[in-house]
Amino acid sequence: MNFSATSDFAQQLDAQDTLRDSRQQFYFPQQEGSDVIYLCGNSLGLQPKGVEKALLHELEHWRKYGVEGHFEGELPWMYYHRFLQAQSASIVGGKTEEVVVMNTLTTNLHLLMVSFYRPTKTRYKIIMEAGAFPSDQYAVESQVRYHGLDPEAAIIEVTPRTGETLLRTEDILETITQHGDSTALVLFGGVNYFTGQYYDLEAITVAGHEAGVYVGFDLAHAAGNVELRLHDWQVDFAVWCSYKYLNSGPGGPGGIFVHEQYANRPDLPRFAGWWGHDEKSRFLMRKGFKPMQGAAGWQLSNAQIFSFAAHKVSLDLFAEVGLTTLRQKSERLTGYMEFLLNQLDPDNKLFQILTPSDPKQRGCQLSIYAWKDGKQLFDFLSKKGAIVDWREDNLLGNGGGIIRVAPVPLYNSFSDVYTFVELLKQAVNTER
Ligand SMILES: *Cc1c(COP(=O)(O)O)cnc(C)c1O
């Protein structure tokens, strides 16, 4: 499609957008009486309007039933994880049984590494992307140490080539082949939080399996952002959080996927808790752990009802719209932003987009590297009502850094994108 850099054109795209009304389901922070340009859904999704009612419902349930709330009503607490299961499974392309919502992301990463990182004398390495989200780095490093190994020797990071910022798939696969015999686990992000690069998860999985290695993914920036097919891709396990693109609210619950090949194997080592124990005999309170079938067998504790209830609201919205439709809009929305940014700075004199320009290699986020005075640009944007994300990266020593923007198809409009780039234009003109 041929884009045009006018507000009329942006409004025309909005008029044609079949998802334009889903924006009404969300609260936008206000600045001087109007909605901010919210482009931070990669960090914390907006509040769906239905959340308040869902939370009040659970408060009332508790007030009315006390402990009996576990068994009363349409959504009894005892089975609450089930009410999120099918919809979470369709977000990541898993079977219902392969998925469960529980705990939070980093906790889940540790729990699944207990099951899938089982180093031996000869196979002990973990292959991951350089510059992974810090929590993942710490989780991996501490797991390696926990097994009495040296992180320097056991963690193999795939780095971009000199002068490049993105990973090449061929380099990832080559690293897996090269270290395959001594590797126990390949653990990658789905979409890198910093560059916005969406890795080829299927190819990574195939390469890992050819080397006889487990393959797991952290989908924090992929879940609800790109279309995933974890089951078909034969991914062994995955974890994600729900407060970014899945709009469950601050500290919202995490989700896990365990491929059915492993999900029904009670012999697979794990750290267990009573909520992962077979539902039928859970309340007999006997010795001897017998895991539930599927990913549910990794649960530790009873569900955090309030955060699960908030999470369910947004999952219902996703189910209504469908990821395929969302992704179609997303590619166009982000493509439009990329087009406008390139119009503003065709020769990359002011900034450069680090994120791949191939839509298949990114989700909705664009990471914009401002060569200088990035913080001033960011401050200007904030003052004018655009909420974006800023990371200092002062490599050149003149205040450069990354502005990350994520136009989210569920609630952002083409006009949002247009207004943002107009503000950025004002910002660079003011700063120069
Ligand atoms: C957001 C994010 C996290 C955050 O972990 P929590 O345990 O939910 O606080 C971890 N890893 C990645 C890749 C993330 O993007």
Side-chain angles (χ1 to χ4, degrees), residues 104-107 133 135-136 193 218 220-221 241 243-244:
T104 48
L105 197 167
T106 309
T107 308
F133 193 88
S135 201
D136 301 39
Y193 82 102
D218 180 336
H221 284 262
C241 58
Y243 48 82
K244 292 171 179 164

Side-chain angles (χ1 to χ4, degrees), residues 254-273:
I256 69 162
F257 165 93
V258 181
H259 198 277
E260 70 181 354
Q261 200 182 345
Y262 302 105
N264 297 327
R265 280 198 20 205
D267 60 307
L268 209 65
R270 70 192 80 190
F271 286 170

Side-chain angles (χ1 to χ4, degrees), residues 401-416:
I402 308 242
I403 294 172
R404 291 185 300 164
V405 285
V408 167
L410 201 52
Y411 52 69
N412 281 124
S413 65
F414 292 88
S415 297
D416 283 344

Side-chain angles (χ1 to χ4, degrees), residues 329-369:
K329 173 176 172 186
S330 180
E331 287 187 11
R332 185 177 278 199
L333 195 63
T334 297
Y336 188 49
M337 182 179 277
E338 181 183 40
F339 165 81
L340 294 174
L341 290 169
N342 286 335
Q343 293 272 308
L344 171 59
D345 184 31
D347 303 320
N348 294 341
K349 288 210 176 78
L350 306 166
F351 53 78
Q352 185 185 339
I353 301 171
L354 299 184
T355 311
S357 61
D358 174 9
K360 289 197 177 51
Q361 294 182 59
R362 69 184 183 201
C364 67
Q365 173 186 324
L366 292 181
S367 305
I368 305 167
Y369 190 92

Side-chain angles (χ1 to χ4, degrees), residues 186-204:
V186 173
L187 179 70
F188 255 73
V191 174
N192 182 272
Y193 82 102
F194 196 65
T195 61
Q197 180 177 13
Y198 175 26
Y199 303 116
D200 188 339
L201 306 192
E202 187 175 18
I204 293 172

